[in-house]
Amino acid sequence: MMSSNYTPLDNQNVTGSVPAAADSSGHVTVKFTESNLQTFPPTAAQGKISGGSGPPRDADDTFSKTATGSDDTQQSGWFQTFSIAAYKPYFDVDTSDVVERIIDSLFPFRGSFTEKIAEQPDLYGPFWICTTLIFVAASIGTFVTYLSHKLQNKEWDYDINLVTWSAGLFYGYVTIVPVCLYLILKYFSAPSGLVQLFCLYGYSLFVFIPALCLSVIPLPIVRWVVAGVAGFMSATFVALNLRNHIKSAGERWFLIVVGIFLLQLALALVLKLYLFTVTV
Amino acid sequence: NTLTEPVWDTVKRDLSRIVSNLKLVVFPNPHREDPGKALRDWDLWGPFFFIVFLGLVLSWSASVKKSEVFAVAFALLAAGAVILTLNVLLLGGHIIFFQSLSLLGYCLFPLDVGALICMLKDNVILKVVVVCVTLAWSSWAAYPFMSTAVNPRRKALALYPVFLMYVTVGFLIIAID
């Protein structure tokens, strides 16, 4: 029992739970250890505040540090898939890089795309080309049906589903087909990086943007020709680049490449039929 | 003590903050070029109100499928703001997540005005003109903040998606009738 340590209550003025300081021994000297405070001059690039010292730019500075986790803690395990820092290397491109890759996708017979992106594939191009394509497809499709309805003096209502369906089509195509291709290539032991495949497919869709813009011309034969040419260019782009890649791994390439070629043509066909078949 | 003040005082304070933020972001003022000064006192009420208002105006303008239109508009604007902010962060830019959301929300104000005008007058030529003007205004409002947030060699990469989103919204405004 610790009764020896207790002073009886009536002997003390108890204020709160802190016992009064013993007044028997004069004063109590409080000793602090030597402080280890070191001041660092502000370095150039330090997290969010890259402009040197100064008041924080925003009251919620602490919030931003945890949101990006740019220079401190590497989150371990499966958390990493959800942190921005994990995807930063795939967006490490400049404007000139992206423009160069886009121009490259317009010349399908060069076949040198895979080498160019092997070191540094980017996901910026595929994502924003897809998004632009969705917008262009939805708007041109709407405009075309609007024109044809107005020319025949019929009632026309905006079909909001056009946006959602084209979003599903394009995002789905660029996500699912590369994943399947990745698995197939792995099975045939000619592995290609998954991100490189996303990159290839994303840039291959670029040629559809000018094609869709040209499809506004209301002649059916023009539309079929434009869709055919664009589909052919896009499919050759994917097929040739894939063939170069698989050849360098020494495997039989024919079936896979032909399959991919036909698939891309099928996409062009679906695009043409879905968006431009005018049912008045 | 904000807990015991009258409700009107709280509301008035929030409203005056929204108005002052709006003046900083959307209208010409001497602090625009300095992104550190702009929107120090950011809030999310203003952007929320503008997004909902735009969704409502588009929904009222539509003659069929009103609730779908509202849903698509709201989802597009909210997800668009988040994706644009993530885009800048991934490109290695330095912004603060919610401050950027706040700014993109405030920049919708010109498009709100445009949508309201388009709802009231139903002339296609007028709609196109109004939407073009307000779209340019919105892009101008968002430009300084976005362009200074990233490396100058990637400026176009950060600005293009902003422009794309505003063009999409503008297109929705024209198309809904």
Side-chain angles (χ1 to χ4, degrees):
Chain A
M1 287 290 282
M2 305 198 318
S3 55
S4 57
N5 287 342
Y6 282 86
T7 56
L9 266 180
D10 43 77
N11 261 359
Q12 245 182 344
N13 299 335
V14 176
T15 51
S17 57
V18 179
D23 53 5
S24 53
S25 63
H27 45 181
V28 181
T29 52
V30 180
K31 219 171 140 62
F32 290 111
T33 56
E34 268 306 313
S35 87
N36 289 334
L37 187 66
Q38 294 172 298
T39 48
F40 294 99
T43 57
Q46 224 187 29
K48 283 278 161 238
I49 307 178
S50 59
S53 68
R57 280 200 183 167
D58 182 82
D60 276 350
D61 212 37
T62 48
F63 186 92
S64 69
K65 279 212 157 76
T66 51
T68 57
S70 50
D71 51 353
D72 20 68
T73 62
Q74 265 291 322
Q75 288 150 324
S76 56
W78 60 273
F79 264 20
Q80 241 176 346
T81 354
F82 295 118
S83 78
I84 294 187
Y87 293 102
K88 255 197 188 165
Y90 300 128
F91 281 77
D92 198 13
V93 279
D94 292 336
T95 312
S96 51
D97 294 333
V98 173
V99 170
E100 185 194 321
R101 290 176 188 191
I102 288 180
I103 294 181
D104 218 26
S105 78
L106 293 174
F107 295 100
F109 290 101
R110 279 196 205 152
S112 57
F113 192 73
T114 28
E115 295 149 34
K116 282 197 187 156
I117 63 165
E119 298 309 310
Q120 211 169 41
D122 74 302
L123 288 177
Y124 177 92
F127 178 72
W128 286 112
I129 290 177
C130 252
T131 312
T132 310
L133 197 53
I134 290 168
F135 163 67
V136 170
S139 65
I140 301 250
T142 308
F143 186 61
V144 160
T145 50
Y146 169 78
L147 265 189
S148 69
H149 277 79
K150 273 287 186 281
L151 286 179
Q152 304 183 19
N153 277 335
K154 299 241 173 146
E155 269 297 306
W156 176 80
D157 289 318
Y158 179 65
D159 184 11
I160 197 87
N161 280 322
L162 213 57
V163 176
T164 42
W165 274 108
S166 48
L169 177 69
F170 288 117
Y171 280 138
Y173 186 81
V174 172
T175 327
I176 297 179
V177 172
V179 169
C180 295
L181 188 60
Y182 174 71
L183 295 172
I184 293 179
L185 282 182
K186 252 204 156 158
Y187 178 70
F188 283 109
S189 59
S192 167
L194 184 59
V195 184
Q196 277 84 349
L197 286 177
F198 280 135
C199 193
L200 180 67
Y201 267 87
Y203 280 103
S204 75
L205 288 183
F206 176 77
V207 74
F208 286 117
I209 297 179
L212 279 176
C213 294
L214 281 178
S215 301
V216 183
I217 304 172
L219 301 168
I221 186 69
V222 170
R223 285 183 185 163
W224 276 109
V225 164
V226 165
V229 168
F232 180 74
M233 280 176 70
S234 179
T236 340
F237 177 72
V238 175
L240 277 183
N241 278 297
L242 212 57
R243 187 192 73 161
N244 288 342
H245 172 79
I246 299 183
K247 245 191 181 170
S248 65
E251 291 291 322
R252 299 170 357 134
W253 49 271
F254 194 67
L255 274 177
I256 302 178
V257 170
V258 168
I260 294 301
F261 184 82
L262 291 177
L263 198 58
Q264 197 93 349
L265 278 184
L267 176 72
L269 191 66
V270 165
L271 198 61
K272 160 80 183 68
L273 289 177
Y274 175 61
L275 284 176
F276 299 111
T277 306
V278 181
T279 49
V280 179
Chain B
N1 189 3
T2 59
L3 217 50
T4 54
E5 64 182 7
V7 174
W8 175 240
D9 279 355
T10 317
V11 172
K12 204 163 65 165
R13 192 175 55 241
D14 283 333
L15 279 179
S16 66
R17 186 164 61 176
I18 292 179
V19 168
S20 79
N21 277 338
L22 197 62
K23 282 201 289 218
L24 271 179
V25 171
V26 176
F27 294 101
N29 70 78
H31 295 303
R32 287 202 84 230
E33 299 308 317
D34 181 7
K37 273 219 179 63
L39 225 53
R40 279 198 75 135
D41 195 15
W42 57 267
D43 70 306
L44 289 177
W45 277 118
F48 176 70
F49 175 70
F50 291 137
I51 292 181
V52 168
F53 183 73
L54 191 54
L56 283 177
V57 168
L58 284 176
S59 172
W60 287 326
S61 310
S63 34
V64 293
K65 294 191 193 168
K66 286 174 186 269
S67 47
E68 271 188 43
V69 169
F70 179 82
V72 170
F74 187 85
L76 173 72
L77 291 167
V82 170
I83 291 178
L84 287 176
T85 311
L86 282 180
N87 183 51
V88 172
L89 284 173
L90 283 167
L91 284 174
H94 297 302
I95 53 167
I96 298 160
F97 186 73
F98 282 111
Q99 187 183 22
S100 168
L101 286 189
S102 174
L103 180 108
L104 287 169
Y106 276 111
C107 289
L108 278 180
F109 173 75
L111 283 167
D112 274 356
V113 169
L116 194 58
I117 296 177
C118 288
M119 181 174 80
L120 298 173
K121 305 280 290 168
D122 202 15
N123 180 354
V124 174
I125 310 277
L126 175 75
K127 275 189 182 179
V128 171
V129 168
V130 164
V131 163
C132 284
V133 167
T134 52
L135 197 149
W137 186 4
S138 282
S139 308
W140 172 81
Y143 178 82
F145 189 78
M146 282 288 162
S147 65
T148 50
V150 285
N151 188 335
R153 284 174 311 178
R154 302 185 181 182
K155 213 159 66 163
L157 295 185
L159 286 173
Y160 167 72
V162 179
F163 181 69
L164 181 66
M165 184 172 95
Y166 289 149
V167 168
T168 311
V169 174
F171 175 75
L172 264 185
I173 296 176
I174 298 181
I176 305 258
D177 65 349

